Amino acid sequence: MKVKNIVKGVGLVFTASVLLTACSKEDSLRSESIFDTTEKSKTEVDKWIEAKYTKPYNIAATYLWDEAMGKPDKTLFPPRVESVKPALQVIKKIWIDSYSEIGGVNFVKKIAPRQLHLIGSYNLNHNGTIVLGDAGGGAKITLYNADYVNFKDISSVKRFVHTIQHEYIHILNQTKPYDTSAWDVVAKVNGGYTSSWYNQTDAASNALGFVTPYARSNYDEDFAETASFVLLKSKAEYDAFIAKVPEPGKSVIQKKVVMVEKYFKTQFNMDFYALRDAAERNTNAVVAGDVEN
């Protein structure tokens, strides 16, 4: 603040005195933190997460509301506390346990998102689509609709787990890339990648060589969707699906699946079909109520 020249001597001393007094009061007011730094006691759910996720896999599984986790243009809400443990039990059984069985006990410990965050509500887009999950730079995966999973219904369980299976493929791709050039050659035989994938039907997408309409958004999503699609089905279910796909789409999908199988074998020395079978066993166990307490 500038002081006019006509005010001399006393005026300047008075101004300085006021400033010093103000600083003194301000320092006194700020002697304590404005943030709540008290350590909150851990709930039984928190202790379970620490024992099953944080300590063995260095994964933080969070569920409390955090504005930074939300979407400014969406209406979202945190999960009910009673939804948290069942959702995380399912994820561990079908995703972590399956990869640990086939890839080795340290596989997920070495390659994993460092945070799983649960949202209770659905994440609805303005175009009518529903986001079941999203990932941030391979470090965080957010899973929506945790409050609406029917853990006794296999279709509901698979729909929920599809998110983690799909997003984990992206994390694997970031760790060790797949052959994008070879994939592009196969995928573009019939064309079909489109930003308006949500307007496409399953049948039309299958006929072009895509397992789902979402696979048509780009080749990275195509790879992740193809791999997760197979991991969610039993051998009999996949065989029944591919038998109904007309040519040339059938051949394109089969070539893509072979490339996924090769990727897992060459990059991680893992049997992709053994992983699928483990996921199937663990999915059936979840529906039967056989999960780790």
Side-chain angles (χ1 to χ4, degrees):
M1 181 178 65
K2 294 183 179 179
V3 180
K4 292 182 179 180
N5 290 334
I6 59 173
V7 182
K8 298 181 180 179
V10 174
L12 290 174
V13 173
F14 176 74
T15 302
S17 176
V18 171
L19 290 173
L20 288 172
T21 303
C23 290
S24 177
K25 289 182 178 179
E26 186 176 1
D27 289 343
S28 176
L29 290 172
R30 293 186 179 179
S31 62
E32 296 182 3
S33 173
I34 63 173
F35 299 104
D36 182 4
T37 58
T38 57
E39 185 175 352
K40 294 178 175 58
S41 58
K42 293 180 180 178
T43 66
E44 289 303 312
V45 172
D46 296 331
K47 292 176 183 177
W48 184 87
I49 289 173
E50 184 177 38
K52 304 300 181 180
Y53 275 84
T54 309
K55 286 185 177 179
Y57 301 103
N58 193 26
I59 297 174
T62 55
Y63 58 92
L64 298 178
W65 183 249
D66 184 342
E67 194 65 35
M69 301 288 189
K71 305 288 183 181
D73 61 335
K74 305 288 182 68
T75 301
L76 303 173
F77 53 79
R80 297 189 299 267
V81 174
E82 57 267 29
S83 299
V84 174
K85 184 176 176 180
L88 292 174
Q89 286 175 315
V90 166
I91 293 169
K92 184 180 183 302
K93 184 73 173 180
I94 300 176
W95 167 51
I96 293 180
D97 289 359
S98 299
Y99 272 92
S100 297
E101 176 187 342
I102 306 304
V105 294
N106 293 320
F107 190 88
V108 177
K109 294 179 182 180
K110 293 178 179 178
I111 307 174
R114 292 305 150 210
Q115 181 182 15
L116 295 180
H117 184 66
L118 297 180
I119 297 287
S121 57
Y122 283 99
N123 181 359
L124 304 176
N125 286 327
H126 303 299
N127 59 17
T129 59
I130 299 175
V131 179
L132 297 179
D134 51 48
K140 179 186 74 176
I141 294 178
T142 301
L143 302 167
Y144 300 96
N145 73 286
D147 281 349
Y148 300 101
V149 184
N150 181 350
F151 298 107
K152 295 185 181 300
D153 179 77
I154 194 165
S155 296
S156 182
V157 169
K158 285 185 176 183
R159 186 163 51 250
F160 181 63
V161 175
H162 187 178
T163 299
I164 192 73
Q165 295 285 32
H166 177 103
E167 298 300 345
Y168 192 55
I169 297 298
H170 284 312
I171 292 175
L172 295 180
N173 292 164
Q174 291 169 9
T175 304
K176 293 186 177 182
Y178 65 98
D179 190 339
T180 55
S181 297
W183 186 273
D184 200 42
V185 169
V186 172
K188 286 186 175 179
V189 169
N190 301 315
Y193 285 130
T194 173
S195 59
S196 60
W197 57 267
Y198 48 86
N199 289 327
Q200 315 305 315
T201 65
D202 286 343
S205 299
N206 296 161
L208 290 174
F210 299 93
V211 291
T212 65
Y214 184 57
R216 300 177 62 175
S217 55
N218 60 62
Y219 58 82
D220 284 338
E221 299 301 341
D222 191 10
F223 186 97
E225 194 71 347
T226 301
S228 58
F229 181 87
V230 177
L231 288 176
L232 288 167
K233 295 188 177 297
S234 66
K235 182 180 184 303
E237 288 171 336
Y238 174 76
D239 288 345
F241 159 78
I242 201 68
K244 295 179 181 179
V245 177
E247 293 290 2
K250 177 187 291 188
S251 296
V252 174
I253 292 175
Q254 289 174 323
K255 289 177 181 177
K256 288 178 179 178
V257 173
V258 168
M259 293 174 71
V260 168
E261 179 190 11
K262 181 180 179 181
Y263 168 77
F264 272 80
K265 188 62 178 178
T266 57
Q267 296 288 48
F268 301 106
N269 193 29
M270 191 184 303
D271 187 328
F272 180 67
Y273 291 119
L275 179 64
R276 176 201 59 193
D277 293 344
E280 180 192 1
R281 289 196 305 274
N282 289 331
T283 300
N284 291 333
V286 161
V287 176
D290 181 14
V291 292
E292 188 175 1
N293 293 316

